[in-house]
Amino acid sequence: DAQLARGERLGWMHGFPLAVKDLSHAAGLPTSMGSPLAPTGPARHDSLHVARARAAGAIVIGKSNTPEFGLGSHTYNTVFGTTRNAWDDSKSAGGSSGGAAVALALGMLPVADGSDMMGSLRNPAAFNNVIGFRPSRGRVPGSPDEDLFFNQLSTEGPMARTVEDAARLLCVQAGADRRVPLSLTDALPDADELDLEVDVRGLRIGWLGSLWPDLPVDPAVMATCEQALGVFRDMGCEVDACRLDVPREQNWQAWLRLRQLLVGGKLGTLAADPRHRARIKPEALWEIDQARNLDAASLYQASTWRSNVYRAFARLFERFDAVVAPTAQVFPFDAERHWPDEVAGVKSQTYHHWMEIVTPFTLAGLPTLNVRAGFGPQGLPMGLQLAGPANADLAVLQLGHAYDQACPWSRWHAPVLGQV
């Protein structure tokens, strides 16, 4: 307040309270990563996107909860317990940015940072009726202190209650950094100067549905999302069904191998100590153990399959300006469960199989926005993944902004805030 009185406004976030996702560093606060094995002392520096938020005026007030090491789209751990859904506290908040999503839905924060490998900015946003945006790969540079080349699946990004606020936070987080060689060099507008108002009439929207005919999706999820497509039509957009022309098994095997490479590489040394191994959750150990079976040929094949996923999307974007699909395969589930062991009667083969629908967007590095799709038969929220071509972040946000203004669910708030 004293700075503002002196005319020393730092930027769009001046005075905003910010709770940093507990996978990122905030100087002066511990980075627990949801693990009892994490150092208990305070971090000595900010992660890059946190430093940029501070420079824009944000005031860091704490951390937001995440699953152990960010693994799994259900936010619980043995350090801080379970983060519960803002709409029904018996249900999961999703994850791994579950703490951030619930804080937004309950009015505790104006905007929030999160990160996304397997839908972690998208799934919890869908589960709590807020906005989450996974930017194009390289739009928000990762940590200069970690791997700079292999880690191309995870990215930090913004969450908010409106697309406009998420877009402004992205403008704060984004921008090339010479220490991060794969960061994008084209600049977004300044947060104060951002304008998302565009005429979306005539835009072509591809409805991907379940992506593959044999991918299990709760029928009520599909019905909710298909009904939401009417908002695009009411806006004057053309909506047509399409398919992702790449074998589902190629996509999934590419995902498994590349994720195992990254998780096993990062956590393998920690798990090698028998004293530590006993305190790591089984899902993390599974990733680490699977990584030991990888060889160069299998990883090269995975990269080739990943390239096929990108090429399949590129063909779609020759016909469509954007594509949409459900954000999750299930509605928020019982918070006491570790993860859904089946979807639409089909057994899940892994702890994250129920989130398969988000993986091709990650593999292709596409800007992907969770927008509100409405509420299912049990009164629980669901979202749509709205994606555009690589690096078309602003165009996706402009279309998402128009949709968010047109859809009724943007005016629905979690019970603690009251319905409007």
Side-chain angles (χ1 to χ4, degrees):
D1 289 343
Q3 287 176 308
L4 290 175
R6 295 192 300 268
E8 299 171 1
R9 182 174 180 271
L10 296 178
W12 175 73
M13 296 188 75
H14 192 118
F16 278 31
L18 180 68
V20 175
K21 183 177 178 180
D22 206 12
L23 297 181
S24 296
H25 297 306
L29 297 174
T31 307
S32 84
M33 297 181 286
S35 169
L37 299 176
T40 57
R44 289 181 286 186
H45 66 276
D46 288 331
S47 292
L48 182 56
H49 68 283
V50 178
R52 289 176 169 178
R54 281 200 209 258
I59 301 169
V60 175
I61 61 168
K63 305 297 285 286
S64 62
N65 203 21
T66 182
E68 185 176 335
F69 301 119
L71 298 177
S73 201
H74 178 25
T75 301
Y76 71 95
N77 57 60
T78 60
V79 181
F80 297 110
T82 302
T83 298
R84 296 173 178 272
N85 192 283
W87 292 82
D88 182 341
D89 64 10
S90 72
K91 303 298 183 183
S92 168
S96 61
S97 307
V102 173
L104 288 167
L106 297 183
M108 300 168 70
L109 296 172
V111 294
D113 71 88
S115 58
D116 187 307
M117 178 187 272
M118 197 174 187
S120 292
L121 283 159
R122 294 165 277 168
N123 167 256
F127 274 20
N128 291 280
N129 199 46
V130 296
I131 302 299
F133 182 57
R134 178 191 167 90
S136 294
R137 178 64 211 153
R139 177 68 65 198
V140 179
S143 171
D145 302 323
E146 298 183 0
D147 168 65
L148 298 175
F149 295 101
F150 279 110
N151 187 13
Q152 296 183 37
L153 299 185
S154 284
T155 180
E156 279 77 32
M159 302 180 77
R161 285 189 292 273
T162 69
V163 174
E164 183 176 13
D165 283 348
R168 292 188 192 281
L169 179 55
L170 177 68
C171 292
V172 171
Q173 297 173 329
D177 187 290
R178 61 179 179 79
R179 298 168 298 172
V180 186
L182 299 184
S183 56
L184 297 179
T185 56
D186 59 309
L188 295 180
D190 183 88
D192 285 316
E193 300 171 359
L194 180 70
D195 183 5
L196 295 181
E197 299 293 336
V198 296
D199 186 354
V200 300
R201 290 174 297 178
L203 291 184
R204 301 160 298 168
I205 311 296
W207 167 237
L208 284 164
S210 62
L211 302 185
W212 298 281
D214 60 340
L215 183 71
V217 179
D218 183 332
V221 168
M222 288 297 295
T224 301
C225 292
E226 287 172 347
Q227 186 174 9
L229 297 177
V231 176
F232 287 108
R233 295 188 177 99
D234 291 343
M235 291 159 51
C237 298
E238 302 173 9
V239 182
D240 292 299
C242 61
R243 57 171 294 185
L244 186 64
D245 189 21
V246 66
R248 177 186 170 195
E249 189 62 15
Q250 279 193 16
N251 176 87
W252 185 240
Q253 288 301 319
W255 177 260
L256 288 179
R257 295 179 194 182
L258 295 174
R259 180 178 170 98
Q260 288 161 7
L261 165 69
L262 297 173
V263 175
K266 190 168 186 177
L267 300 179
T269 301
L270 185 66
D273 186 328
R275 297 168 301 172
H276 293 160
R277 185 178 176 89
R279 303 178 70 190
I280 297 174
K281 74 176 186 177
E283 293 83 1
L285 292 177
W286 178 82
E287 297 275 11
I288 295 164
D289 293 342
Q290 291 294 309
R292 295 195 178 101
N293 299 321
L294 296 172
D295 58 24
S298 67
L299 289 172
Y300 184 83
Q301 183 67 77
S303 185
T304 300
W305 286 335
R306 179 188 181 188
S307 302
N308 289 342
V309 174
Y310 178 84
R311 286 187 277 262
F313 274 116
R315 290 191 293 271
L316 282 175
F317 291 126
E318 293 174 359
R319 298 167 47 206
F320 298 104
D321 298 293
V323 294
V324 291
T327 298
Q329 293 161 240
V330 297
F331 282 104
F333 52 90
D334 189 337
E336 304 306 321
R337 298 173 68 183
H338 291 291
W339 39 273
D341 56 6
E342 69 173 47
V343 178
V346 179
K347 292 290 184 183
S348 298
Q349 301 302 309
T350 69
Y351 77 98
H352 51 14
H353 214 178
W354 63 278
M355 285 301 297
E356 186 177 354
I357 200 165
V358 305
T359 59
F361 301 94
T362 294
L363 289 172
L366 303 182
T368 309
L369 177 70
N370 173 76
V371 292
R372 302 165 173 101
F375 290 73
Q378 305 301 317
L380 295 169
M382 182 44 57
L384 283 169
Q385 297 180 91
L386 171 63
N391 304 340
D393 300 63
L394 191 56
V396 171
L397 289 164
Q398 288 169 334
L399 176 57
H401 173 62
Y403 174 93
D404 197 44
Q405 290 184 309
C407 81
W409 310 291
S410 61
R411 296 180 291 278
W412 290 28
H413 302 303
V416 72
L417 296 181
Q419 194 90 348
V420 296

